[in-house]
Amino acid sequence: MKNKITLHIIVALLVGINGFAAETNQQNGGKAMDKKTSLGAEISLMTPVWVIGSYDKDGKPNMMTAAWVGICCSKPPCVTVSLRKATYTYHNIMERKAFTVNIPSKNYIKEADYFGTVSGKEVDKLAATGLTPIKGDHVDAPYIKEFPVSVECKLVNTLELGLHTMFIGEIMDVKADKTMGDNKEALNMLIFDPKQRNYYGLGENLGKAFSIGKEITNSQTNRIK
Amino acid sequence: MKNKITLHIIVALLVGINGFAAETNQQNGGKAMDKKTSLGAEISLMTPVWVIGSYDKDGKPNMMTAAWVGICCSKPPCVTVSLRKATYTYHNIMERKAFTVNIPSKNYIKEADYFGTVSGKEVDKLAATGLTPIKGDHVDAPYIKEFPVSVECKLVNTLELGLHTMFIGEIMDVKADKTMGDNKEALNMLIFDPKQRNYYGLGENLGKAFSIGKEITNSQTNRIK
């Protein structure tokens, strides 16, 4: 019984010391207690999954999945899509000066992955998937009828970056399923984790942008008053 | 009774005609039956939420939330961040040739939103949020200690696109919470819906990339055999 009490006291002291050390580190704010570890110059940021539509020189429609993508300007509305020169789509876009961005829903995750794993040089990917290419209204590129959202883009710039060439496309039109109002179609997006090579769906609505942070703005205003 | 039967026959005929019309449209593959509607040249694609860290000319750390962002090259690993010239961060990056990308977790959604709604010209945003800026090891820009992932970027290119200027940053280092192995830190990302102005979290793991689509590749290979 006495031994047990002694042990408890020792444990309590040790916990206390550790707790104090941790607290000191917290307050210190310096490098030593930073819990981050350096991973080096790697790409580990999650990124959207876009399926890029293009025609080859003979008019054969092709789809390729890309994840080195993003929005890059509001006026004119533009997107970036970076591709390696080795891809079939690279040459198609250079030739036709146009591409589409197609957003696969969860239902088309297999097709989206397939589009990213084989080359249009060797296969008719659209025939293989049974998906329907439709010629864009505004640009010389096909979009996928079955996907919930498609964006028609005109090539406005290219930039050599290294392994990848960046294409900048101006958005000419967005096409969305009529059945999905209020941008619910966008909720179908897939997200790619380049490090673990997994696809994720979109999660819960966490709050309104340009609004949820006002609590901090207001608390600051009150403090100044 | 007789009237009821006649009505049933008429209804059945109408349903039949509509059904036939719908089927013809399905098979047609043309524009007429495409269920998509044109939304015009708008930005309605979901995009990641990144908090951009920079120092101003006097060394004051600043954070700004950006969503016109993306990965753009593997070798060297690069990202794009597009900003308006009106922002404080634009001038900071031009001056210091460096920035950080900080990935807020759900716990910091208020701070992330706040960083995007007020200007560093008028406020010390880091002081207002109580978050800790730490000077990058590789670049002249601060990252946020409390966020799960931070990326140090050296400015390598800028491109004028219209309302936005695109900054291309080469990734010099990624810093992640030690407590979160296996890229779980990346699961903390927020996603922004520019059309409805909502933030979303990440959803469920839907499958392995470069793998889940092999079913289609294999079925094709079998067909060729």
Side-chain angles (χ1 to χ4, degrees):
Chain A
M1 181 67 176
K2 203 179 162 185
N3 281 350
K4 236 182 175 177
I5 290 170
T6 317
L7 187 68
H8 279 172
I9 292 169
I10 291 169
V11 167
L13 275 168
L14 285 172
V15 167
I17 289 163
N18 279 334
F20 173 75
E23 209 173 302
T24 312
N25 278 344
Q26 282 288 333
Q27 288 163 351
N28 216 352
K31 218 49 157 288
M33 100 289 33
D34 185 9
K35 279 189 217 135
K36 282 203 172 77
T37 185
S38 170
L39 304 177
E42 65 162 36
I43 295 178
S44 50
L45 299 167
M46 298 276 205
T47 171
V49 175
W50 291 0
V51 172
I52 309 304
S54 62
Y55 286 122
D56 75 4
K57 57 183 185 334
D58 303 320
K60 186 185 88 173
N62 188 51
M63 295 291 156
M64 178 199 168
T65 304
W68 290 182
V69 300
I71 299 165
C72 63
C73 191
S74 297
K75 280 177 196 175
C78 290
V79 295
T80 67
V81 173
S82 290
L83 301 177
R84 286 172 299 115
K85 283 199 177 74
T87 63
Y88 201 52
T89 300
Y90 170 90
H91 299 281
N92 291 356
I93 296 177
M94 288 303 255
E95 175 113 4
R96 301 275 179 154
K97 312 289 181 206
F99 60 89
T100 63
V101 172
N102 302 270
I103 306 297
S105 68
K106 280 193 234 177
N107 299 336
Y108 293 107
I109 188 170
K110 281 180 195 169
E111 286 80 357
D113 189 52
Y114 169 77
F115 287 144
T117 54
V118 294
S119 171
K121 272 174 225 163
E122 285 128 37
V123 203
D124 183 338
K125 295 196 242 183
L126 281 152
T129 54
L131 292 174
T132 319
I134 297 185
K135 194 184 180 314
D137 293 321
H138 303 268
V139 303
D140 191 13
Y143 64 89
I144 300 179
K145 182 186 153 194
E146 291 84 356
F147 280 19
V149 181
S150 295
V151 183
E152 296 188 35
C153 299
K154 177 180 78 175
L155 183 68
V156 292
N157 213 331
T158 62
L159 199 62
E160 298 296 336
L161 295 173
L163 182 59
H164 285 79
T165 301
M166 184 198 285
F167 292 109
I168 297 173
E170 183 180 337
I171 295 176
M172 306 308 288
D173 192 24
V174 176
K175 290 182 160 57
D177 277 357
K178 270 185 195 158
T179 46
M180 311 177 99
D182 297 334
N183 212 28
K184 284 199 190 71
E185 68 276 5
L187 305 183
N188 280 287
M189 81 179 295
L190 298 175
I191 296 145
F192 174 55
D193 172 356
K195 195 168 174 186
Q196 298 296 321
R197 298 184 154 206
N198 287 318
Y199 295 116
Y200 288 86
L202 203 70
E204 54 177 339
N205 185 332
L206 297 171
K208 289 304 286 179
F210 311 111
S211 167
I212 199 169
K214 278 193 181 147
E215 208 177 285
I216 299 170
T217 321
N218 296 341
S219 73
Q220 289 299 305
T221 315
N222 293 339
R223 209 157 66 180
I224 291 163
K225 277 177 197 165
Chain B
M1 178 67 175
K2 203 180 162 185
N3 281 351
K4 235 182 175 176
I5 289 170
T6 317
L7 186 68
H8 279 171
I9 291 169
I10 291 170
V11 166
L13 275 169
L14 285 172
V15 167
I17 289 163
N18 279 335
F20 172 74
E23 209 173 302
T24 312
N25 278 344
Q26 282 288 332
Q27 289 163 351
N28 216 353
K31 221 46 161 291
M33 98 290 37
D34 186 10
K35 279 188 214 135
K36 284 202 170 78
T37 185
S38 170
L39 305 177
E42 64 163 38
I43 294 178
S44 49
L45 300 167
M46 298 275 205
T47 171
V49 176
W50 291 359
V51 172
I52 309 303
S54 63
Y55 287 121
D56 75 3
K57 57 183 185 335
D58 302 320
K60 187 184 87 172
N62 188 51
M63 295 291 156
M64 176 200 171
T65 304
W68 290 183
V69 299
I71 299 165
C72 64
C73 191
S74 298
K75 280 179 196 174
C78 290
V79 295
T80 68
V81 173
S82 289
L83 301 176
R84 287 172 298 114
K85 284 199 176 73
T87 63
Y88 202 53
T89 301
Y90 169 91
H91 299 281
N92 291 357
I93 297 177
M94 288 303 254
E95 175 112 5
R96 302 276 179 152
K97 312 291 182 206
F99 60 90
T100 63
V101 171
N102 302 272
I103 306 298
S105 68
K106 281 193 234 178
N107 299 336
Y108 293 107
I109 188 169
K110 281 180 195 166
E111 286 80 357
D113 190 51
Y114 168 77
F115 287 144
T117 54
V118 295
S119 172
K121 272 174 225 165
E122 285 128 39
V123 203
D124 183 338
K125 295 196 242 184
L126 280 152
T129 54
L131 292 174
T132 319
I134 298 186
K135 194 184 181 311
D137 293 320
H138 303 268
V139 303
D140 192 12
Y143 64 89
I144 300 179
K145 180 186 153 193
E146 290 84 357
F147 281 18
V149 180
S150 296
V151 184
E152 296 188 35
C153 299
K154 178 180 77 176
L155 183 69
V156 292
N157 214 330
T158 63
L159 200 61
E160 298 297 336
L161 295 174
L163 183 60
H164 286 77
T165 301
M166 184 199 286
F167 291 109
I168 297 172
E170 182 180 337
I171 296 176
M172 305 308 288
D173 192 24
V174 176
K175 290 183 159 56
D177 278 357
K178 268 185 197 159
T179 45
M180 311 177 97
D182 296 334
N183 212 28
K184 284 201 190 70
E185 68 275 6
L187 306 182
N188 280 288
M189 81 181 294
L190 298 175
I191 297 146
F192 174 55
D193 172 356
K195 196 169 175 184
Q196 299 294 323
R197 298 184 154 207
N198 287 318
Y199 295 116
Y200 288 86
L202 203 70
E204 53 175 341
N205 185 331
L206 297 171
K208 289 304 285 179
F210 311 111
S211 167
I212 200 169
K214 279 194 181 147
E215 207 176 286
I216 299 171
T217 321
N218 295 340
S219 72
Q220 288 300 304
T221 315
N222 294 338
R223 210 156 66 182
I224 291 163
K225 278 179 195 162

